[in-house]
Amino acid sequence: MKIKHILSVTILSISLTLISWGYTGHRTIGQLAENHLNPNAKVAIKNLLGDTTIADACTWADDARKDPQFAATANWHFLNLPLGLSFEDFKKQIDTISQGNVYSALLKAEGDLANNDTPRQQQIYALKFIMHFVGDLHQPMHISRAEDKGGNTIQLNYEDKGTNLHSLWDTKMLEHQGLTYTQLASKYDDISAEDIKQWQSDTLIQWIWESYQISSQLYAEIDLMGKRVIDDTYVQKHLPTVEKRIKQAGIRLAGILNGIYPEIN
Ligand SMILES: [Zn+2]
């Protein structure tokens, strides 16, 4: 029994590392987005979520994929592409991938939520998928190579413990700050009106392209590292990128939701 329990805990923690920003990252994104919603969007979202907070709704998709009903959604959290694509080839490849992925899943969920004919329960799922996938696609290692499972098989050492490139970017660097998601959200909510306007007007393909460019750099850096030990220099260099991606995800999530539920004049 005991071994079985340890095994299942191990399998659970491995599978969690495969899926997205850790809960702290997703919740921070949700809180940031909430800070930037118009009053009409806040009411409409509250009407769908009930007592669930936006921050908690942002992590639902990672739990749902363990439910057989949502098994098919496992591939919706990321996008695998070869390195070295031009922007034009990148766009072409994304448009022609037949397997479900974070791009197609987000577009589908946005369409479902914006359509008044979508049954209420489906709207709730669509809303929660949007809240999660905007976060996932801003995590650079979610737009990454298939052969190393988005960095999950690239082993590293950080703070004297074994980890991997994916997990480092999902959770380890963010949680290194030792702050709660509400603390992180208020710390990060210093975004200029100019940035908000620019980030929300960039296209979805551009958001994904940004992650692709960052992950390409991260792969190149890791390849050049002799010992795969993540030191403070690495963290200090990359923490601003982690912060920027979380800010952009929160602001863009608010932009999508404000677009679906525009302000009533
Ligand atoms: Zn995810």
Side-chain angles (χ1 to χ4, degrees):
M1 261 318 262
K2 212 171 174 187
I3 289 171
K4 207 173 161 192
H5 177 70
I6 293 166
L7 246 176
S8 63
V9 168
T10 311
I11 290 165
L12 177 67
S13 54
I14 290 169
S15 64
L16 275 175
T17 63
L18 285 166
I19 43 193
S20 55
W21 288 111
Y23 280 17
T24 307
H26 280 292
R27 286 182 177 137
T28 306
I29 290 164
Q31 184 61 56
L32 263 176
E34 185 169 0
N35 297 351
H36 292 267
L37 289 177
N38 73 51
N40 182 43
K42 276 189 191 172
V43 171
I45 289 163
K46 171 88 185 145
N47 180 33
L48 288 175
L49 293 183
D51 290 336
T52 305
T53 64
I54 292 178
D56 281 341
C58 283
T59 65
W60 171 83
D62 273 342
D63 297 326
R65 64 195 286 280
K66 292 168 221 149
D67 181 335
Q69 186 193 344
F70 293 101
T73 69
N75 290 328
W76 296 3
H77 298 246
F78 58 90
L79 186 60
N80 285 144
L81 290 162
L83 293 184
L85 297 175
S86 67
F87 184 56
E88 287 309 310
D89 287 340
F90 174 83
K91 277 196 291 189
K92 253 185 247 165
Q93 288 229 12
I94 289 179
D95 277 335
T96 53
I97 295 170
S98 55
Q99 193 187 47
N101 59 74
V102 74
Y103 173 71
S104 57
L106 180 57
L107 285 182
K108 164 90 168 62
E110 283 185 52
D112 286 350
L113 188 60
N115 182 350
N116 289 331
D117 295 334
T118 304
R120 181 181 158 81
Q121 186 55 56
Q122 295 307 117
Q123 284 190 26
I124 295 170
Y125 292 149
L127 174 61
K128 291 178 176 177
F129 279 134
I130 292 170
M131 289 177 160
H132 186 83
F133 295 146
V134 172
D136 273 355
L137 70 86
H138 279 82
Q139 204 282 58
M141 294 312 299
H142 278 246
I143 311 298
S144 50
R145 294 191 303 214
E147 57 266 39
D148 51 60
K149 299 185 164 56
N152 272 291
T153 63
I154 298 180
Q155 297 302 311
L156 301 169
N157 193 289
Y158 178 52
E159 294 181 320
D160 292 326
K161 288 189 196 111
T163 185
N164 63 67
L165 186 59
H166 190 98
S167 178
L168 184 71
W169 278 82
D170 258 2
T171 52
K172 300 283 184 333
M173 284 197 287
L174 187 66
E175 290 179 357
H176 177 78
Q177 299 185 78
L179 299 175
T180 64
Y181 80 83
T182 45
Q183 289 170 328
L184 286 167
S186 55
K187 184 181 168 196
Y188 291 173
D189 203 354
D190 59 353
I191 308 145
S192 71
E194 205 184 352
D195 277 346
I196 291 174
K197 203 173 160 208
Q198 179 61 53
W199 292 350
Q200 291 182 340
S201 63
D202 295 332
T203 63
L204 174 55
I205 287 279
Q206 281 171 311
W207 308 353
I208 299 174
W209 172 247
E210 291 161 0
S211 277
Y212 178 75
Q213 286 177 300
I214 300 166
S215 69
S216 298
Q217 268 179 17
L218 300 178
Y219 280 125
E221 256 179 34
I222 289 291
D223 285 345
L224 288 174
M225 274 169 70
K227 277 192 214 157
R228 296 209 163 161
V229 178
I230 298 302
D231 58 13
D232 203 45
T233 314
Y234 183 97
V235 175
Q236 293 314 317
K237 180 181 170 190
H238 291 298
L239 208 47
T241 305
V242 172
E243 293 183 5
K244 186 174 181 187
R245 294 311 276 164
I246 287 188
K247 288 179 185 185
Q248 288 179 318
I251 291 300
R252 286 164 169 170
L253 174 57
I256 290 178
L257 298 171
N258 287 336
I260 293 174
Y261 304 113
E263 201 135 22
I264 303 166
N265 293 309

